[in-house]
Amino acid sequence: MTSTPRTREVLPSRIRALVWMECRLAVRSRFQRAVVVATIVVPLLLALSERGGRSDQQREGVLAVLAADAPPIDAYWFMLTDVSVLFVAVVGLLVGYDTFITERERGTAILRRTVPVTRGEVFASMLAVRLATVGVSLCLGALLGAGLVGATNGAHLFATMMATAALAALVTVVVGAGCWLSVLSRTRRQALAAVCLSIGAVVFGTPVLLESAPSLVFLHPFYAFTVLASSPFETVTPILETAAGASVTGEGYVVSVGLAGAVLGGWLLVTLFAAYVQFQRREWDA
């Protein structure tokens, strides 16, 4: 009698069970539902505001500049990039910060020791659901908004996909940072205080960095995202100007697209690795 070889599962059943449990908890959360709605609606509102045609004036945002007579698709991504400085920072950190805090408050963290799963699997399932809550819904809203303003030809679609990929990377960085703060904190109050300080650092620290130390601005994840998101659009330029391979000029500091991609990728790896390592070290019931 020959035995039938077992087919190896692409995703182990225990991981699917963890992800499914996290999804059910997210669906029950009013805050998570509100995040999904907000991350889809905000890009659509921005798209509606830019459907009126070309703007005859130059506009300057926090990290980018929109040239005069820019097409609606460029103006839309300029607005979305500008709003992301505050919106992604607030939403991403708030979604990430309660990752482990909520587990301890519900008492489910200590119960996980009785389940045959590793900490890495627990961490991956919680992170995946939170990234889906913010990243997938925000990218979906961004794509729908781009279609609303008229991204119909191949060039517009390619530029939109490139900018959306940069947006997804930024969301991963911010949610990963929120998860790290959640694991570091012992109480919800500590985690929320850390999140508020982080949001303040992004909102108020970014303009200060641009004014006082422009040579270091290339290390800022939001500026790196701005370089990547604006590069496919001819009329959108980072506020310190970007040019591949250029050096410091009298007008400002120039960050190439390759360097911006390396910086944002570095932030992504560092935040996720730091959160994972701290999660591995933390006591389940601490």
Side-chain angles (χ1 to χ4, degrees):
M1 181 176 179
T2 60
S3 59
T4 303
R6 297 180 60 183
T7 303
R8 184 177 180 180
E9 294 181 299
V10 177
L11 191 65
S13 58
R14 61 180 184 275
I15 298 181
R16 293 201 302 269
L18 283 173
V19 173
W20 176 243
M21 182 185 69
E22 293 294 335
C23 289
R24 292 175 61 186
L25 293 173
V27 170
R28 295 175 184 175
S29 170
R30 293 181 180 178
F31 173 69
Q32 302 278 11
R33 295 198 300 267
V35 166
V36 171
V37 173
T39 49
I40 294 177
V41 169
V42 167
L44 293 178
L45 293 177
L46 294 177
L48 290 174
S49 68
E50 299 297 339
R51 291 191 70 189
R54 294 175 179 264
S55 174
D56 57 354
Q57 294 182 345
Q58 176 178 295
R59 284 188 277 174
E60 183 175 320
V62 178
L63 295 175
V65 175
L66 179 69
D69 200 32
I73 185 64
D74 291 32
Y76 165 70
W77 274 105
F78 163 77
M79 288 295 297
L80 187 57
T81 300
D82 198 45
V83 169
S84 294
V85 176
L86 176 62
F87 185 68
V88 173
V90 172
V91 174
L93 286 172
L94 286 177
V95 168
Y97 99 98
D98 70 339
T99 304
F100 198 64
I101 294 295
T102 303
E103 289 284 310
R104 290 201 297 268
E105 289 182 347
R106 290 199 305 249
T108 54
I110 193 171
L111 292 177
R112 290 189 186 276
R113 291 187 299 183
T114 63
V115 182
V117 292
T118 66
R119 287 197 174 202
E121 292 168 345
V122 173
F123 178 80
S125 63
M126 291 193 295
L127 179 65
V129 172
R130 281 155 180 80
L131 286 177
T133 301
V134 185
V136 174
S137 54
L138 182 57
C139 290
L140 176 62
L143 292 173
L144 292 175
L148 195 61
V149 297
T152 54
N153 60 47
H156 287 169
L157 291 175
F158 176 76
T160 295
M161 294 305 296
M162 294 290 290
T164 303
L167 183 61
L170 179 66
V171 169
T172 304
V173 170
V174 178
V175 173
C179 291
W180 183 41
L181 294 177
S182 176
V183 180
L184 285 174
S185 305
R186 293 185 176 275
T187 64
R188 181 174 293 273
R189 182 174 297 180
Q190 290 179 357
L192 191 57
V195 166
C196 291
L197 289 175
S198 300
I199 294 173
V202 171
V203 175
F204 300 106
T206 300
V208 173
L209 182 63
L210 288 170
E211 290 289 336
S212 60
S215 62
L216 298 178
V217 77
F218 74 95
L219 294 173
H220 199 300
F222 283 84
Y223 192 79
F225 157 71
T226 301
V227 173
L228 294 173
S230 62
S231 61
F233 304 98
E234 294 182 357
T235 60
V236 184
T237 307
I239 202 165
L240 295 182
E241 299 186 354
T242 61
S247 59
V248 177
T249 67
E251 299 178 355
Y253 290 81
V254 181
V255 180
S256 68
V257 173
L259 178 59
V263 169
L264 192 59
W267 275 98
L268 190 152
L269 293 176
V270 167
T271 53
L272 294 183
F273 180 75
Y276 173 76
V277 170
Q278 190 64 32
F279 186 79
Q280 292 279 19
R281 294 177 178 177
R282 195 64 186 266
E283 294 296 330
W284 292 89
D285 54 349

